[in-house]
Amino acid sequence: MKDQFIVSGGARLEGSVKVDGAKNSVLKLMAAALLAEGTTTLTNCPEILDVPLMKKVLEGLGCTVSITGDTVVIDAPDKPSSYADFDAVRQFRASVCVLGPLTARCGHAKVALPGGDAIGSRPLDMHQSGLEKLGASTRIEHGAVVAQADRLTGASIKLDFPSVGATENILTAAVLADGTTVLDNAAREPEIVDLCDMLCEMGAQIEGAGTSTLTIHGVDKLHPTNHEVVGDRIVAGTWAYAAAMTRGDITVGGIAPRHLHLPLSKLKSAGADVETYDQGFRVRMEGRPAAVHYQTLPFPGFPTDLQPMAIGLSAVAEGTTVITENVFESRFRFVDEMLRLGADAQVDGHHVVIHGIEQLSSTDVWSSDIRAGAGLVLAALCADEKTTVHDIFHIDRGYPDFVHNLNRLGANVERVSGI
């Protein structure tokens, strides 16, 4: 049985919502707990499908993991297993983030090549190259990436692209390496800063978090810690764009607005009234939004994870929008589903041109990834009648209490079981 969402169009969303910890942070923090024997506690964790999936990965490595509400407790053993098998990692991409900690802690790691969202190629070449510069040997063997090193040594490493995943794996390996590692062109995302903060709480010595250059002074040993997960800027951004698309009024808490500076700025340009607070913001849109151009880039650029929401807003905006995707080449699969809803859009390479229309038309649509699924639900709120959104298990991987929050804000969304 596969659940579906039945979304009634025409809703205006109004009210307040608080975001939980970031999906793109909690999974990496759980993996980082492997670096120290003992009990690490994470709070403000989102209640999403990927957290118990990562629990399964860590348990396969010898950890004891418990999840109670928004708290995850991880007891890492003295000698973790170094093999993350296919059954544990195949369902989501973030599982590959155990590669760095296992290489540093065990001297050996074998991680089955991961699965995840269908948004394009995400090879591990930069992960491998970074570990090799730290002194590890790596190879792809029988569907798994294998890394081995008697002892890692600090090095100067420059990434070809500020990859979040490569930054995380190199960072979590370098904290236990001999000497100093300088990582240039590192990812700058808030989730990277959150990982650096937790590692420093564990005894790591890291300079430059939030900049493009990380300097990591290796230490002999780390200790467990208690850490609160940073708020989810992508979920917060989703609610911001939901307010603009439905000409609503939503106050979002639990997030630092600076983590969404560009997406909120784009909403202002589209005609929204945006107020920011210390840990939240308010978005109000009274009339039809104006067309605004977008191009996705690594942080602090416009997030690729909010590209479907930008497309949804552009589909009902007044005027013509050009959106350029610079991160994941297959993310425009979302446009095919928007065409089902009547959007006037045309893809040309890594650009999509959208001519806004007043209202979308309801139909059946299919989610291809987490953000596309959420974007389709928001687009369905702008349609004339009832839209059925299929393959919603993707949405469950990234959005806690999604239907509950939507309905509390004034939507009419029903979760039903299908075949």
Side-chain angles (χ1 to χ4, degrees), residues 357-419:
I357 60 176
E358 183 71 32
Q359 186 179 52
L360 299 173
S361 59
S362 55
T363 186
D364 283 38
V365 291
W366 280 260
S367 304
S368 58
D369 65 75
I370 297 169
R371 311 307 171 185
L376 288 172
V377 173
L378 300 190
L381 294 173
C382 302
D384 51 0
E385 298 178 6
K386 291 187 176 183
T387 294
T388 301
V389 181
H390 300 267
D391 292 342
I392 61 171
F393 63 89
H394 290 293
I395 302 172
D396 293 336
R397 291 182 47 222
Y399 289 86
D401 298 323
F402 195 48
V403 170
H404 171 75
N405 285 320
L406 282 167
N407 290 338
R408 198 167 52 82
L409 293 170
N412 182 359
V413 180
E414 182 183 5
R415 186 180 190 124
V416 299
S417 294
I419 299 176

Side-chain angles (χ1 to χ4, degrees), residues 283-296:
V283 176
R284 290 177 288 178
M285 178 73 82
E286 295 186 0
R288 186 177 176 189
V292 178
H293 300 313
Y294 300 84
Q295 60 172 328
T296 66

Side-chain angles (χ1 to χ4, degrees), residues 225-290:
T225 189
N226 297 336
H227 182 81
E228 181 178 341
V229 182
V230 70
D232 196 318
R233 63 192 171 97
I234 304 302
V235 173
T238 299
W239 294 122
Y241 276 74
M245 288 172 67
T246 64
R247 305 182 195 184
D249 182 350
I250 301 178
T251 298
V252 182
I255 185 71
R258 68 181 182 276
H259 295 167
L260 284 166
H261 175 75
L262 187 54
L264 293 178
S265 177
K266 291 289 186 181
L267 289 179
K268 287 182 182 179
S269 298
D273 180 13
V274 179
E275 300 176 49
T276 59
Y277 316 109
D278 179 44
Q279 282 295 311
F281 58 83
R282 181 182 182 185
V283 176
R284 290 177 288 178
M285 178 73 82
E286 295 186 0
R288 186 177 176 189

Side-chain angles (χ1 to χ4, degrees), residues 156-203:
S156 293
I157 302 170
K158 185 172 183 179
L159 297 178
D160 295 333
F161 177 85
S163 161
V164 171
T167 298
E168 289 161 344
N169 266 326
I170 295 168
L171 174 62
T172 52
V175 290
L176 291 180
D178 288 333
T180 297
T181 297
V182 177
L183 179 57
D184 283 323
N185 202 24
R188 300 166 57 188
E189 275 74 0
E191 296 80 19
I192 294 291
V193 177
D194 198 29
L195 176 60
C196 289
D197 287 345
M198 176 174 154
L199 291 171
C200 288
E201 292 163 9
M202 298 173 73

